[in-house]
Amino acid sequence: NVQDEGSQLCALAVTRAPLDGTDDRWLDLCAGPGGKAALLGALVGLDGGELIAVEKAPHRAELVRKITSGLPVTVHVADGRETDFLEGAFDRVLVDAPCTGLGALRRRPEARWRRQPTDVATLTKLQRELLTEALRLVRPGGVVGYVVCSPHLSETVGIVTDVVRRTGAEVLDTRELFPGVPDLGDGPHVQLWPHLHGTDAMFCAMLRRPV
C-alpha cells in the first residue's frame, strides 16, 4: 500500500515544528502499518535520537518492525491511550489517529460503503482520547502533531478545539510547516485536498504543550 504523499507531508511537518531544548525522543502513537514511523525513525536517527512506535494490533506492529528494520525504532504493542510511558517522556509526538478515512475516497471509493454515521461518534471519542494522551506524554514545550485522513469537521477542527479547551495546549500555525505547498487557506491548521494538492484529504494540526 503506497503511502499517500499528503501523509508523508504531515509526518514531515511534525519534524519541522520549532522546538527549544532536547529533540531526540520521538513517539509515533498509532504507528501501523509503519510508513510514517520509517520516515520519522530515519530523520530522528540522523541526530542520534530514537523513535518509539506504538501499535495496538500485533500483526500491524509486526509490519512496523519490518519496515523500520535497521532504524533506531522500538515498537511497542499497546493501545495508544494506555501506554506505560512516563508523563513528558517525549519531545515530539505524532498522532496519526484512526478515522473514517473519507479523505482517501479518490483512491478507495469503496470505503464510503463501509462507514456508518455511528462510526464517527466512536472514532471521535478515540481521537480525543489519543490526542489528550499525546499531550500528556510530550514534555512541556514539546510538540504534538494530530493527523487524520478526513475532511470531516467533527474529526478535525472539532477534536482539536475540544482538546485545546480541555488541556490549554497552544495551537501552532501548521501552514509554515508545509513549505512550498500552495492554497493552505486561513489556517492555523492544514487541510489538504485532492483537487488542490493532488493528495488525499489529509488534516494536520500542530499543538505545543504549555511550559
Side-chain angles (χ1 to χ4, degrees):
N1 186 9
V2 176
Q3 196 152 30
D4 180 69
E5 187 194 6
S7 194
Q8 300 280 2
L9 287 172
C10 293
L12 282 171
V14 178
T15 75
R16 290 184 175 129
L19 198 62
D20 290 329
T22 59
D23 194 13
D24 55 7
R25 272 180 67 79
W26 297 359
L27 173 66
D28 184 349
L29 200 54
C30 312
K36 295 188 194 70
L39 180 65
L40 294 175
L43 289 170
V44 75
L46 293 174
D47 294 320
E50 65 169 335
L51 175 76
I52 304 297
V54 173
E55 172 52 48
K56 185 177 177 181
H59 68 283
R60 282 167 69 89
E62 195 49 46
L63 289 174
V64 180
R65 277 197 190 94
K66 285 195 174 109
I67 200 171
T68 59
S69 172
L71 294 170
V73 176
T74 307
V75 181
H76 291 257
V77 180
D79 185 324
R81 297 169 294 178
E82 300 165 3
T83 64
D84 49 11
F85 304 127
L86 292 174
E87 178 170 344
F90 299 95
D91 301 303
R92 296 180 193 266
V93 181
L94 169 65
V95 184
D96 181 17
C99 66
T100 56
L102 295 176
L105 286 181
R106 72 192 176 105
R107 290 188 299 132
R108 294 196 290 275
E110 75 286 354
R112 75 173 75 219
W113 307 116
R114 291 201 293 255
R115 289 295 173 201
Q116 309 294 328
T118 48
D119 292 351
V120 176
T122 310
L123 285 164
T124 51
K125 178 175 186 289
L126 173 61
Q127 290 156 355
R128 191 180 299 113
E129 289 169 354
L130 285 166
L131 181 53
T132 302
E133 179 62 7
L135 282 161
R136 189 185 77 81
L137 293 174
V138 80
R139 66 173 172 80
V143 290
V144 172
Y146 173 73
V147 177
V148 283
C149 183
S150 174
H152 200 305
L153 286 174
S154 60
E155 296 187 272
T156 60
V157 177
I159 294 294
V160 174
T161 304
D162 187 41
V163 171
V164 165
R165 185 170 52 79
R166 293 166 187 238
T167 62
E170 176 194 352
V171 178
L172 305 181
D173 191 337
T174 308
R175 295 172 299 173
E176 298 165 5
L177 312 176
F178 285 74
V181 180
D183 301 316
L184 291 178
D186 298 335
H189 315 311
V190 164
Q191 177 73 63
L192 299 174
W193 296 103
H195 64 282
L196 285 177
H197 305 107
T199 66
D200 287 351
M202 302 293 299
F203 172 85
C204 183
M206 210 64 60
L207 304 177
R208 189 184 301 285
R209 180 172 170 179
V211 178

